[in-house]
mmCIF file of all heavy atoms in Angstrom:
data_model
loop_
_atom_site.group_PDB
_atom_site.id
_atom_site.type_symbol
_atom_site.label_atom_id
_atom_site.label_comp_id
_atom_site.label_asym_id
_atom_site.label_seq_id
_atom_site.Cartn_x
_atom_site.Cartn_y
_atom_site.Cartn_z
ATOM 1 N N ARG Z 46 9.369 8.409 14.269
ATOM 2 C CA ARG Z 46 9.768 8.538 12.877
ATOM 3 C C ARG Z 46 11.130 7.847 12.674
ATOM 4 O O ARG Z 46 12.058 7.911 13.512
ATOM 5 C CB ARG Z 46 9.917 9.966 12.530
ATOM 6 C CG ARG Z 46 8.704 10.776 12.365
ATOM 7 C CD ARG Z 46 7.783 10.289 11.206
ATOM 8 N NE ARG Z 46 8.462 10.391 9.967
ATOM 9 C CZ ARG Z 46 8.082 11.248 8.992
ATOM 10 N NH1 ARG Z 46 7.179 12.115 9.205
ATOM 11 N NH2 ARG Z 46 8.757 11.209 7.829
ATOM 12 N N SER Z 47 11.265 7.219 11.540
ATOM 13 C CA SER Z 47 12.608 6.653 11.102
ATOM 14 C C SER Z 47 13.274 7.578 10.089
ATOM 15 O O SER Z 47 14.485 7.491 9.945
ATOM 16 C CB SER Z 47 12.426 5.219 10.584
ATOM 17 O OG SER Z 47 11.574 5.155 9.420
ATOM 18 N N TYR Z 48 12.479 8.295 9.387
ATOM 19 C CA TYR Z 48 13.076 9.286 8.362
ATOM 20 C C TYR Z 48 12.130 10.480 8.211
ATOM 21 O O TYR Z 48 10.966 10.377 8.680
ATOM 22 C CB TYR Z 48 13.238 8.527 7.013
ATOM 23 C CG TYR Z 48 12.008 8.131 6.411
ATOM 24 C CD1 TYR Z 48 11.339 9.008 5.460
ATOM 25 C CD2 TYR Z 48 11.365 6.900 6.620
ATOM 26 C CE1 TYR Z 48 10.110 8.658 4.857
ATOM 27 C CE2 TYR Z 48 10.222 6.585 6.034
ATOM 28 C CZ TYR Z 48 9.609 7.440 5.134
ATOM 29 O OH TYR Z 48 8.416 7.099 4.549
ATOM 30 N N PRO Z 49 12.524 11.550 7.562
ATOM 31 C CA PRO Z 49 13.859 11.869 7.155
ATOM 32 C C PRO Z 49 14.846 12.039 8.355
ATOM 33 O O PRO Z 49 14.308 12.136 9.515
ATOM 34 C CB PRO Z 49 13.663 13.180 6.424
ATOM 35 C CG PRO Z 49 12.493 13.800 7.077
ATOM 36 C CD PRO Z 49 11.571 12.656 7.407
ATOM 37 N N GLU Z 50 16.077 12.143 8.100
ATOM 38 C CA GLU Z 50 17.013 12.295 9.161
ATOM 39 C C GLU Z 50 16.724 13.451 10.167
ATOM 40 O O GLU Z 50 16.945 13.272 11.416
ATOM 41 C CB GLU Z 50 18.473 12.471 8.584
ATOM 42 C CG GLU Z 50 19.573 12.258 9.609
ATOM 43 C CD GLU Z 50 19.585 10.890 10.299
ATOM 44 O OE1 GLU Z 50 19.230 9.852 9.638
ATOM 45 O OE2 GLU Z 50 19.842 10.824 11.514
ATOM 46 N N SER Z 51 16.143 14.512 9.656
ATOM 47 C CA SER Z 51 15.901 15.674 10.512
ATOM 48 C C SER Z 51 14.785 15.361 11.533
ATOM 49 O O SER Z 51 14.614 16.041 12.563
ATOM 50 C CB SER Z 51 15.485 16.906 9.682
ATOM 51 O OG SER Z 51 14.369 16.588 8.932
ATOM 52 N N LEU Z 52 13.916 14.365 11.287
ATOM 53 C CA LEU Z 52 12.858 13.959 12.129
ATOM 54 C C LEU Z 52 13.052 12.653 12.787
ATOM 55 O O LEU Z 52 12.252 12.199 13.610
ATOM 56 C CB LEU Z 52 11.504 14.020 11.392
ATOM 57 C CG LEU Z 52 11.085 15.299 10.751
ATOM 58 C CD1 LEU Z 52 9.780 15.169 9.915
ATOM 59 C CD2 LEU Z 52 10.942 16.394 11.754
ATOM 60 N N ARG Z 53 14.079 11.982 12.437
ATOM 61 C CA ARG Z 53 14.377 10.616 12.959
ATOM 62 C C ARG Z 53 14.403 10.620 14.535
ATOM 63 O O ARG Z 53 15.090 11.436 15.095
ATOM 64 C CB ARG Z 53 15.743 10.078 12.457
ATOM 65 C CG ARG Z 53 15.950 8.670 12.902
ATOM 66 C CD ARG Z 53 17.311 8.115 12.259
ATOM 67 N NE ARG Z 53 17.624 6.849 12.787
ATOM 68 C CZ ARG Z 53 17.178 5.681 12.239
ATOM 69 N NH1 ARG Z 53 16.335 5.743 11.174
ATOM 70 N NH2 ARG Z 53 17.501 4.518 12.799
ATOM 71 N N GLY Z 54 13.615 9.756 15.071
ATOM 72 C CA GLY Z 54 13.604 9.628 16.600
ATOM 73 C C GLY Z 54 12.507 10.434 17.192
ATOM 74 O O GLY Z 54 12.257 10.247 18.393
ATOM 75 N N LEU Z 55 11.924 11.376 16.488
ATOM 76 C CA LEU Z 55 10.807 12.215 16.970
ATOM 77 C C LEU Z 55 9.542 11.428 16.869
ATOM 78 O O LEU Z 55 9.425 10.467 16.047
ATOM 79 C CB LEU Z 55 10.751 13.533 16.326
ATOM 80 C CG LEU Z 55 11.916 14.458 16.455
ATOM 81 C CD1 LEU Z 55 11.740 15.735 15.663
ATOM 82 C CD2 LEU Z 55 12.264 14.706 17.952
ATOM 83 N N TRP Z 56 8.545 11.803 17.681
ATOM 84 C CA TRP Z 56 7.296 11.103 17.699
ATOM 85 C C TRP Z 56 6.136 11.899 17.032
ATOM 86 O O TRP Z 56 6.175 13.044 16.873
ATOM 87 C CB TRP Z 56 6.879 10.799 19.145
ATOM 88 C CG TRP Z 56 7.833 9.892 19.795
ATOM 89 C CD1 TRP Z 56 9.122 10.154 20.360
ATOM 90 C CD2 TRP Z 56 7.702 8.462 19.987
ATOM 91 N NE1 TRP Z 56 9.685 9.027 20.808
ATOM 92 C CE2 TRP Z 56 8.921 7.969 20.593
ATOM 93 C CE3 TRP Z 56 6.666 7.546 19.608
ATOM 94 C CZ2 TRP Z 56 9.056 6.628 20.833
ATOM 95 C CZ3 TRP Z 56 6.894 6.162 19.877
ATOM 96 C CH2 TRP Z 56 8.048 5.742 20.550
ATOM 97 N N GLU Z 57 5.228 11.075 16.543
ATOM 98 C CA GLU Z 57 4.110 11.682 15.747
ATOM 99 C C GLU Z 57 2.892 10.702 15.795
ATOM 100 O O GLU Z 57 2.954 9.695 16.379
ATOM 101 C CB GLU Z 57 4.469 11.767 14.267
ATOM 102 C CG GLU Z 57 4.699 10.478 13.617
ATOM 103 C CD GLU Z 57 5.005 10.589 12.081
ATOM 104 O OE1 GLU Z 57 5.056 11.695 11.500
ATOM 105 O OE2 GLU Z 57 5.212 9.488 11.456
ATOM 106 N N PHE Z 58 1.776 11.258 15.288
ATOM 107 C CA PHE Z 58 0.593 10.348 15.053
ATOM 108 C C PHE Z 58 0.844 9.694 13.742
ATOM 109 O O PHE Z 58 1.290 10.245 12.789
ATOM 110 C CB PHE Z 58 -0.680 11.180 15.063
ATOM 111 C CG PHE Z 58 -1.042 11.824 16.370
ATOM 112 C CD1 PHE Z 58 -1.123 13.166 16.449
ATOM 113 C CD2 PHE Z 58 -1.252 11.016 17.478
ATOM 114 C CE1 PHE Z 58 -1.432 13.776 17.643
ATOM 115 C CE2 PHE Z 58 -1.555 11.580 18.681
ATOM 116 C CZ PHE Z 58 -1.685 12.993 18.764
ATOM 117 N N PRO Z 59 0.544 8.366 13.600
ATOM 118 C CA PRO Z 59 0.672 7.719 12.342
ATOM 119 C C PRO Z 59 -0.201 8.359 11.262
ATOM 120 O O PRO Z 59 -1.284 8.887 11.603
ATOM 121 C CB PRO Z 59 0.340 6.306 12.602
ATOM 122 C CG PRO Z 59 -0.351 6.245 13.997
ATOM 123 C CD PRO Z 59 0.011 7.491 14.659
ATOM 124 N N GLY Z 60 0.200 8.264 10.076
ATOM 125 C CA GLY Z 60 -0.574 8.802 8.969
ATOM 126 C C GLY Z 60 0.339 9.123 7.769
ATOM 127 O O GLY Z 60 1.369 8.524 7.661
#
Side-chain angles (χ1 to χ4, degrees):
R46 290 293 300 250
S47 61
Y48 68 88
E50 193 57 39
S51 63
L52 299 177
R53 185 178 174 85
L55 298 179
W56 294 82
E57 68 176 357
F58 294 119

